[in-house]
Amino acid sequence: MKNFQITTTCMMALTITSVFAEKNKKAKIPNVILINADDLGYGDIACNGSKTIHTPNIDLLAKKGIRFSNFHCTASTSTPSRYSMLTGEYSWRKQGTGIATGDAGSIIRPERFTLADVFKNAGYKTGVIGKWHLGLGDKTGTQDWNGHITPGPSDIGFDYSFILAATGDRVPCVYVENERIVNLDHSDPISVSYEKNFHGEPTGASNPELLKLLPSHKHDFSIVNGISRIGYMKGGKKALWVDEDMADVITGKAVNYINENKENTFFLYFATQDIHVPRVPHSRFVGTSGMGARGDAIMEFDWSVGEIMKTIKKLGLEKNTIIILTSDNGPVIDDGYQDKAVELLGEHKPSGPLRAGKYGSFEGGSRVPGIISWPSKIKPGVSNEIVSQIDLLRSFANFLQVQVPQGAAPDSEDHFNSFINGSKGREYLVTVNINMNLSIQNSDWKMINEGKGGTKIVETNLELGNAPYDQLFNLKTDLGEKNNVADKYPEIVKQMKDKLLQIKELKKL
Ligand code: NG6
Ligand code: CA
């Protein structure tokens, strides 16, 4: 009887889904392309006020859509930020959502309802191309890299995937297409370890003479393409990526994906490796920013955005395609390689007017570029409303009339109208830093909860915002978070702390 009930419920869900999918098809619902850059700071794009960088394609996108000045990811590092965006759940509710190794098991388990499921249930074709960093396979360190690496993106709503398992600086340095390594020669199998090196394999630490880019800290394990990484790998020579070609490869895949799906309605999650380390842009971008590898990688990212824009225009899809451009966390200058990013930075301010950047609790860590264009519906402009990537899930679900299962996406709110016409956004937003310390903000105030951890990552020269006491900043008058006014406004600190507690407790899964 129980089984019968479950089956009936499932079938009803399927029927409802397909009715909506059919209806949506007829209504010419928009394609959606979500471009997520890696470590791109608020101040790294010209349209956010920077005079030191040239980003013509991103600026054009902003001109056609809404540019948000208060657009947030939920965490100042990649894995938790991406986790929240795809699941609609704050990462700090779930263990194991810190920065993932390249051999991490799937962090978003197959039973989870995701942003990709929203689109899939609405009848879209769904694809992810680029940086994944959410784990693959069942358990950490046990994947069959030479076979079907499952579970993976196809288990959480993506029909198609062409991804890097983790990041550019972590092994395995191969592309994984639909959960299988691309160009794998089975006579040269791949082994991966985050514990120990494979016998006789060179590393950055033991063989620096083999390196074309030296590490500045850590990143001295296995060597691939003359660059030492985090983690050890062996084999798979034909499958190894060439960093200089990565933007061309993934942008090419994204363009193909759009071309192949021009008759369908599609959702493409395009997550670039730019501008994360190692920053090794293609030679045609080298020297274009006058700022060294970091600036050149921004130029390369801008090019990728332009290729996507050109493609939808050429196919006549521009009017009815929503493009969302954002970043997974704030900026960092030296993140582990001697790429002269610090020396050549000049006057450029990667966080713009914001304090600090990646890893930390200050605004530079989680207030990121945010642009949304949809030429047939959006009136171009600027919005100062608080919006967050975590709300994409419920916003699109409600827009597409897709039912979010009970208990799923507990922190995601419907702010479709804020995304599309800049109307009132979120009231409160919680963000988390690398030390798991929480902050809460509204449009006036930001309270960084007392927490543990050092004040700075010395190697990256980035403030973390940790303090053993509460900090309060008035974002309206002190966007740069220079003056901690917690002592002056204890009642506001209390109100923010109470709200944080309420959010923490009310929404336990
Ligand atoms: C850090 C790495 C950094 C980068 C980061 C993840 C060291 C010292 N630093 O641990 O280089 O890889 O993890 O970045 O190893 S993220 O954008 O993917 O979160
Ligand atoms: Ca990142």
Side-chain angles (χ1 to χ4, degrees):
M1 186 62 189
K2 204 170 169 209
N3 273 344
F4 172 74
Q5 273 175 346
I6 290 169
T7 315
T8 315
T9 318
C10 286
M11 280 177 60
M12 269 172 62
L14 275 176
T15 319
I16 291 168
T17 300
S18 55
V19 167
F20 283 134
E22 228 13 74
K23 202 170 117 198
N24 282 336
K25 231 182 193 169
K26 286 199 190 112
K28 279 218 162 72
I29 48 170
N31 304 306
V32 178
I33 302 175
L34 170 57
I35 304 175
N36 199 15
D38 199 355
D39 298 359
L40 186 74
Y42 183 88
D44 279 328
I45 56 178
C47 55
N48 274 355
S50 171
K51 302 227 175 339
T52 40
I53 191 86
H54 190 53
T55 48
N57 292 303
I58 298 170
D59 299 352
L60 181 62
L61 189 70
K63 231 172 137 184
K64 293 179 181 208
I66 304 185
R67 180 174 64 77
F68 293 86
S69 68
N70 214 343
F71 198 106
H72 293 259
C73 52
T74 67
S76 49
T77 57
S78 157
T79 303
S81 163
R82 289 160 202 258
Y83 174 87
S84 291
M85 184 166 72
L86 291 186
T87 63
E89 178 183 47
Y90 283 132
S91 62
W92 42 265
R93 292 194 197 279
K94 185 160 163 77
Q95 288 246 310
T97 52
I99 300 171
T101 56
D103 69 344
S106 289
I107 294 166
I108 305 177
R109 305 305 299 184
E111 61 276 11
R112 283 308 292 257
F113 183 82
T114 67
L115 179 63
D117 286 318
V118 168
F119 291 105
K120 204 177 158 103
N121 289 1
Y124 282 61
K125 294 282 177 198
T126 54
V128 52
I129 294 170
K131 171 172 170 175
W132 184 239
H133 212 191
L134 289 163
L136 284 175
D138 190 30
K139 284 204 185 80
T140 300
T142 63
Q143 299 86 347
D144 176 9
W145 293 107
N146 302 289
H148 187 199
I149 311 158
T150 180
S154 69
D155 297 283
I156 54 168
F158 291 101
D159 304 322
Y160 174 74
S161 59
F162 185 95
I163 55 174
L164 285 61
T167 61
D169 61 350
R170 283 173 172 71
V171 303
C173 300
V174 293
Y175 299 114
V176 182
E177 188 168 31
N178 293 328
E179 291 143 22
R180 285 179 194 275
I181 288 179
V182 179
N183 289 338
L184 182 67
D185 173 357
H186 286 277
S187 66
D188 180 25
I190 288 180
S191 310
V192 174
S193 169
Y194 274 74
E195 277 163 15
K196 59 178 196 319
N197 194 13
F198 298 96
H199 187 68
E201 293 294 310
T203 64
S206 63
N207 295 78
E209 75 284 0
L210 298 177
L211 300 177
K212 63 181 177 196
L213 176 63
L214 291 170
S216 57
H217 52 273
K218 223 176 167 189
H219 302 91
D220 59 357
F221 308 133
S222 288
I223 302 172
V224 174
N225 187 32
I227 301 169
S228 49
R229 319 275 168 161
I230 303 175
Y232 303 103
M233 75 175 289
K234 185 186 157 191
K237 220 170 175 175
K238 281 193 188 150
L240 299 176
W241 69 48
V242 176
D243 305 77
E244 290 82 345
D245 297 337
M246 191 177 284
D248 284 348
V249 170
I250 62 170
T251 306
K253 288 282 170 191
V255 166
N256 282 352
Y257 184 81
I258 297 169
N259 275 314
E260 279 164 15
N261 286 289
K262 61 177 188 283
E263 307 292 343
N264 301 315
T265 309
F266 62 85
F267 166 60
L268 171 62
Y269 170 36
F270 180 47
T272 66
Q273 147 67 9
D274 282 327
I275 61 165
H276 197 280
V277 295
R279 304 173 186 122
V280 250
H282 190 272
S283 59
R284 67 186 189 279
F285 296 102
V286 173
T288 54
S289 69
M291 223 187 280
R294 187 175 184 280
D296 297 347
I298 297 176
M299 305 300 284
E300 187 173 73
F301 172 67
D302 184 71
W303 168 82
S304 293
V305 173
E307 291 303 291
I308 303 284
M309 290 167 70
K310 260 201 293 200
T311 306
I312 57 164
K313 193 166 184 180
K314 199 176 84 202
L315 295 172
L317 301 176
E318 191 187 30
K319 281 215 157 97
N320 204 27
T321 298
I322 298 179
I323 299 183
I324 303 166
L325 182 142
T326 187
S327 174
D328 69 337
N329 54 251
V332 52
I333 322 294
D334 176 357
D335 206 18
Y337 292 97
Q338 298 181 33
D339 60 7
K340 295 217 166 62
V342 175
E343 295 85 333
L344 298 173
L345 191 64
E347 296 296 302
H348 182 63
K349 292 196 166 46
S351 295
L354 311 175
R355 182 167 174 181
K358 183 172 177 175
Y359 304 113
S361 293
F362 293 116
E363 287 293 274
S366 62
R367 193 186 288 220
V368 286
I371 297 170
I372 303 188
S373 94
W374 185 10
S376 67
K377 289 275 172 7
I378 284 183
K379 225 172 94 217
V382 175
S383 166
N384 300 319
E385 289 293 324
I386 300 182
V387 287
S388 169
Q389 296 168 0
I390 201 168
D391 295 329
L392 292 172
L393 193 155
R394 206 169 284 273
S395 301
F396 276 100
N398 285 3
F399 169 61
L400 296 168
Q401 299 181 33
V402 167
Q403 209 142 19
V404 176
Q406 192 80 32
D411 300 300
S412 187
E413 299 174 1
D414 177 8
H415 288 292
F416 193 75
N417 285 330
S418 337
F419 286 129
I420 297 308
N421 55 39
S423 59
K424 180 140 179 50
R426 258 191 174 249
E427 202 176 345
Y428 287 95
L429 174 75
V430 179
T431 52
V432 64
N433 78 2
I434 190 171
N435 302 106
M436 294 292 282
N437 291 331
L438 301 180
S439 303
I440 180 165
Q441 64 199 97
N442 58 23
S443 52
D444 292 327
W445 299 99
K446 160 125 168 231
M447 198 273 300
I448 304 180
N449 208 28
E450 62 178 307
K452 294 198 180 73
T455 52
K456 201 171 183 174
I457 299 186
V458 180
E459 293 87 350
T460 61
N461 195 26
L462 278 174
E463 295 177 291
L464 292 166
N466 301 322
Y469 47 82
D470 301 319
Q471 298 170 78
L472 183 74
F473 299 99
N474 184 331
L475 293 177
K476 281 267 156 76
T477 58
D478 179 24
L479 182 61
E481 296 170 287
K482 290 194 179 70
N483 304 308
N484 173 13
V485 290
D487 287 346
K488 202 167 158 196
Y489 299 104
E491 72 290 355
I492 293 175
V493 172
K494 180 168 184 325
Q495 183 205 324
M496 298 297 265
K497 275 184 99 74
D498 287 349
K499 188 71 198 174
L500 181 59
L501 209 63
Q502 190 193 355
I503 293 171
K504 276 168 94 171
E505 284 179 355
L506 271 185
K507 296 206 173 143
K508 238 175 224 161
L509 271 185

